[in-house]
Amino acid sequence: MLAAAAGPAPGGAELLGGARFSVLSWEQVRRLDQILGEAVPIHGRGNFPTLSVRPRTIVQVVRSRLEKKGIAVHNVRLNGSAASHVLHQDSGLGYKDLDLIFGVDLKTEDIFQLVKDVVMDCLLDFLPEGVNKDKITPMTLKEAYVQKLVKVCNESDRWSLISLSNNSGKNVELKFVDSLRRQFEFSVDSFQIILDSLLLFGECSENPMAENFHPTVTGESMYGDFEEAMDHLRNRVIATRNPEEIRGGGLLKYCNLLVRGFKPKSEVDMKALQRYMCSRFFIDFSDISEQQRKLECYLQSHFVGMESKRYDYLMTLHRVVNESTVCLMGHERRQTLNLIAMLAVRVLAEQNIIPTVTNVTCYYQPAPYVSEINFNYYVTHVQPFLPCNQSYPTWLPCN
């Protein structure tokens, strides 16, 4: 398990035999160890106290309980933006959620239920001393500490997700995966870091890690080519394949990457992929109320500490939907565009921001009793708040 770490390959990774795998450098391993060792608050609702637990402890306790119940854990992985942050700290993505993947066999409904029960038992043990645990049921714990519960069971996918609450949006997400056909949206978020060697080192080694004495930790790119994906991460390149396989088409994440300064690998190819993204998004979220809920949840969870970017994000989304939506009737398309515009106005109102006139023009309608004789005003050609075909020759610009 232990290895005197070889020098990192260019860019901080040593390639293994398969192009999709790579050995982490010492700096990356140290960053990973720091993330696993920092206590994360799990906020309770109502009178339930906040739990302060290190991700390393969560993984060790959950894994041990699962194995005691006869559920073998093949490996545990760090996934998503946190894994990208470990591999390249200045990626521009930052990281919010801690996505932890437990590789398990979920062959029956009973095992799905057993996994959930094990996590609830662990939460009970994480409660501080002095709390009377006798009358706290798994249902009570779920209501107090679980942000989201998901179970997917079909021909290609068998997995469940338990997301633990965090008021700042930094949720600990425990995903238990038997099979999952699509495990990434874009190349820059396709990384998974296998944690087993690092966790075992912490349990067995009496000596602390050092540059010449640390476990060999392996990363994998689900996109396919690890070095290509790393190059995209370093240079802020947007690349994906078959976005129609992604729930929601990857549309919301794509616009998020654009706002963060990422650029498409190929403008021509990305225009075609945008149409697939929009089509899949409107297949999965066909109702306008579903679209509103999805957008509101995305804004709330993905822009913590970056509230000023929400307006730019919505304007980018509006542009992409306007340019690339080919699967909707005209009135449905306008309905969605109006929804995005409404959310953008709400964002401005919440932040009490008056944008510069180069970004937005505010209009007001004179009252009906105000006539041209006693009200001195003029009409000018201005850029509207959002692109539209209607003209408003009697409306006045507020400068």
Side-chain angles (χ1 to χ4, degrees), residues 1-58:
M1 177 198 70
L2 303 181
E14 175 193 352
L15 287 179
L16 295 178
R20 64 187 296 123
F21 292 94
S22 179
V23 173
L24 272 62
S25 69
W26 160 239
E27 288 298 325
Q28 292 166 336
V29 172
R30 188 166 63 175
R31 201 151 50 234
L32 173 63
D33 184 64
Q34 183 179 2
I35 286 176
L36 295 179
E38 290 178 349
V40 177
I42 302 171
H43 295 110
R45 298 183 182 89
N47 295 325
F48 278 83
T50 297
L51 311 179
S52 183
V53 191
R54 296 183 303 161
R56 182 194 307 273
T57 303
I58 295 174

Side-chain angles (χ1 to χ4, degrees), residues 1-3 5 12-26 28-30 32 36 75-79 83-84 86-87 101 190-199 214-222 224 226 230:
M1 177 198 70
L2 303 181
E14 175 193 352
L15 287 179
L16 295 178
R20 64 187 296 123
F21 292 94
S22 179
V23 173
L24 272 62
S25 69
W26 160 239
Q28 292 166 336
V29 172
R30 188 166 63 175
L32 173 63
L36 295 179
N75 56 51
V76 183
R77 299 177 175 223
L78 181 68
N79 182 50
S84 299
V86 167
L87 295 172
I101 298 178
S190 69
F191 299 104
Q192 295 183 3
I193 300 173
I194 303 169
L195 303 179
D196 299 68
S197 61
L198 183 62
L199 296 172
H214 65 267
T216 299
V217 180
T218 304
E220 180 180 4
S221 170
M222 311 312 291
F226 192 96
M230 276 298 298

Side-chain angles (χ1 to χ4, degrees), residues 8 19 93 160 171 175 217 220 231 258 270 276 301 315 355 363 371 384 397:
L93 290 173
S160 66
N171 297 337
K175 183 178 283 187
V217 180
E220 180 180 4
D231 185 65
L258 289 175
M270 194 54 70
Y276 285 110
S301 61
M315 290 299 93
Y363 299 92
S371 67

Side-chain angles (χ1 to χ4, degrees), residues 368-383:
Y369 53 81
V370 177
S371 67
E372 295 187 17
I373 298 175
N374 59 20
F375 191 88
N376 185 20
Y377 71 94
Y378 63 94
V379 178
T380 185
H381 297 287
V382 293
Q383 178 66 36

Side-chain angles (χ1 to χ4, degrees), residues 219-235:
E220 180 180 4
S221 170
M222 311 312 291
Y223 176 74
D225 188 309
F226 192 96
E227 274 306 302
E228 182 183 359
M230 276 298 298
D231 185 65
H232 295 166
L233 187 63
R234 295 186 199 102
N235 297 296

